[in-house]
Amino acid sequence: MLSRKVGLKFRDMSISSIGSAEPATGALTRIREVVGPKGWIDRPEDLEPFLIEERGRFHGRCLAVVRPADTAEVAAVVRSCWAAAIPLVPHGGNTGLVGGGVPDGGIVLSTARLNRIRNTDHANRAMTVEAGVILADVQAAAEQAGLLFPLSLAAEGSCQIGGNLATNAGGVTVVRYGNARDLVLGLEVVLPDGRIWNGLRALRKDNTGYDLKHLFLGSEGTLGIITAAVLKLFARPRATATALVAIPTPAAAIALLDRVQDACGDALTAFELLSRPAVTFCCRHIAGIADPFAEPHPWYVLVHLTSPRAGDSLTEALEAVLGDGLEQEIVVDAVIAQNEGQVAELWRLRESIPEAQKPEGGSIKNDVSVPVSRVPEFLERATAAVEAAMSGIRVVAFGHVGDGNIHFNLSQPVGVDRDAFLAEWDRFDRIVADIATDLGGSFSAEHGVGRLKRSDMARYKDPVELDLMRTLKRGLDPAGIMNPGKLIVDG
Ligand SMILES: Cc1cc2nc3c(=O)[nH]c(=O)nc-3n(C[C@H](O)[C@H](O)[C@H](O)COP(=O)(O)OP(=O)(O)OC[C@H]3O[C@@H](n4cnc5c(N)ncnc54)[C@H](O)[C@@H]3O)c2cc1C
């Protein structure tokens, strides 16, 4: 029964490019034996959650979902897929936003059962975790060890560390700790042919040739399956200071960033921009959120400082910078959190923006970056361009301005049809990405490429860089079984 059903479905799949292969039905039977009943899903209603993603822009299809229990089982599954040329899509917490985990045939490999913390080495400030550990659980395990794993993003309760590394996730602390790729000492990866690369070295210095882990970090599952990683840990913050600062212009945000960096050094842990429409939407739609200021202001930054030294007077340092800022007219007003509850309230305002946009109708999302110094120019040019392209469009800009990364989201004009507005996604994506890249920026700062932005690769990437990427892909995965159709397409 299994083989008859699978045979029918398999003929539907467009995998002709993959070349000669042993019959898929035999491979699927073997894979099912490898993972056992706990690791095999093929009922259509159970497959459904693996075929969609958060923003609902894609709907996929697959033969089955497998949930291997350990690295050896992952390797056995991949070996069978390699032999039978069955496409394989790695699946973590499914919080990705570019369709990278949505399958178009083949098998989905979920890392949910690879959820062990293998080792914590306090003296080495390192922790070895399996790919399926939820990011919030990684943070909690580090905290239990008296240390900090600093990667932090709004999806941390559901995304998995494997997905974070495969997408080189960013989040709110990049200005201090870097992206996910900066937080990794070693990796374990199952390669497209099923071999296991054990690169789980916990070394801070290792000058022995190509640093292969960086091939897989940010590769969105197209070069192999990350099964475990050695993560860097840091001292826990023991002093903090957080302020929401009202500013007149984006240029003032960059001027203030410069001054905070000069005065506070690496205590600067997050520096987030919020536009007035973003704050208005939060106050209008999110229960318990009220404007922290008596008057509306056009722009705000959320500044967060931390230090591992309990006695550090960060609040005084921040007050001094903000006081200077007032005199220099780059700061209009500020609220400084007095306790943990107020810190959480200010962060809630920032984190609620995507949710607050939903009741306002269709929203076209963007995730671009430019050199920090060019953020004001980007915002000015991009706002003028989208407003010229559609009257009444509402720019809801916010994001990690300390890294030059702006979520330049666009809410539909009031009263227009939601679907008609969303149908314009590609046009606006192009307008915004053209300006960002013209300013030396990137069309995808932190969400990756996936399926959504793969055509942008051809438009914006240097041809030599694209050729190098394709050479790597062909070298490691000549049959193209690993997450086909994502990130780079051949041609
Ligand atoms: C509310 C919200 C806020 C977000 N905020 C941020 C943010 O601030 N910064 C940011 O960078 N992203 C953000 N994201 C996007 C998303 O959370 C990240 O991309 C996250 O790192 C994805 O992890 P995941 O486990 O959900 O991966 P998935 O969505 O399951 O997969 C993402 C991609 O990685 C591949 N993949 C997954 N696991 C593996 C593995 N073990 N080996 C190889 N490939 C694998 C998949 O095939 C897919 O291509 C946000 C998303 C949401 C919903």
Side-chain angles (χ1 to χ4, degrees), residues 125-127 129 149-151 161-162 164-166 168-169 177-189 197 199-204 211-214 216-218 226 228-234:
R125 311 232 142 192
M127 179 162 61
V129 302
F149 183 63
L151 184 66
I161 191 68
N164 300 146
L165 302 184
N168 184 30
Y177 296 100
N179 290 288
R181 77 164 67 247
D182 302 306
L183 303 173
V184 178
L185 293 174
L187 279 187
E188 177 187 84
V189 180
W197 172 51
L200 286 176
R201 287 183 286 271
L203 298 176
R204 280 156 204 281
D211 194 342
L212 295 177
K213 64 178 179 287
H214 285 295
F216 302 98
L217 296 164
I226 297 170
V230 186
L231 304 175
K232 289 183 194 169
L233 302 179
F234 297 81

Side-chain angles (χ1 to χ4, degrees), residues 35 39 66-71 73-74 77 109-114:
V35 294
V66 294
R67 300 167 78 240
D70 54 31
T71 303
E73 282 191 15
V74 175
V77 169
L109 188 147
S110 160
T111 46
R113 292 172 72 204
L114 302 177

Side-chain angles (χ1 to χ4, degrees), residues 90 92-96 100 153 159-160 163-164 166-167 169-171 220-221 226 446 483:
N94 200 23
T95 68
L153 42 130
C159 60
Q160 299 175 3
N164 300 146
T167 58
E220 301 185 35
I226 297 170
E446 57 172 17
N483 212 359

Side-chain angles (χ1 to χ4, degrees), residues 54 89-97 99-101 111 131 152-155 158-172 219-222 224-227 350 354 400 407 446-447 450 483 486:
E54 158 92 10
V89 180
H91 184 101
N94 200 23
T95 68
L97 297 171
T111 46
S152 175
L153 42 130
S158 348
C159 60
Q160 299 175 3
I161 191 68
N164 300 146
L165 302 184
T167 58
N168 184 30
V172 292
S219 68
E220 301 185 35
T222 61
I225 298 177
I226 297 170
T227 47
R350 161 63 185 87
H400 318 300
H407 298 307
E446 57 172 17
H447 295 160
N483 212 359
K486 315 292 169 50

Side-chain angles (χ1 to χ4, degrees), residues 87-165:
L88 201 53
V89 180
H91 184 101
N94 200 23
T95 68
L97 297 171
V98 289
V102 179
D104 186 17
I107 283 185
V108 170
L109 188 147
S110 160
T111 46
R113 292 172 72 204
L114 302 177
N115 58 1
R116 285 158 290 250
I117 293 182
R118 292 190 189 166
N119 168 261
T120 305
D121 181 345
H122 196 286
N124 196 35
R125 311 232 142 192
M127 179 162 61
T128 306
V129 302
E130 294 186 352
V133 181
I134 301 285
L135 174 56
D137 294 338
V138 176
Q139 296 164 346
E143 186 174 352
Q144 261 178 12
L147 293 167
L148 171 79
F149 183 63
L151 184 66
S152 175
L153 42 130
E156 63 198 23
S158 348
C159 60
Q160 299 175 3
I161 191 68
N164 300 146
L165 302 184

Side-chain angles (χ1 to χ4, degrees), residues 327-345:
E327 277 175 23
Q328 290 152 10
E329 298 182 350
I330 55 172
V331 169
V332 181
D333 202 352
V335 287
I336 299 184
Q338 299 300 315
N339 53 47
E340 284 302 307
Q342 290 180 355
V343 172
E345 270 177 45

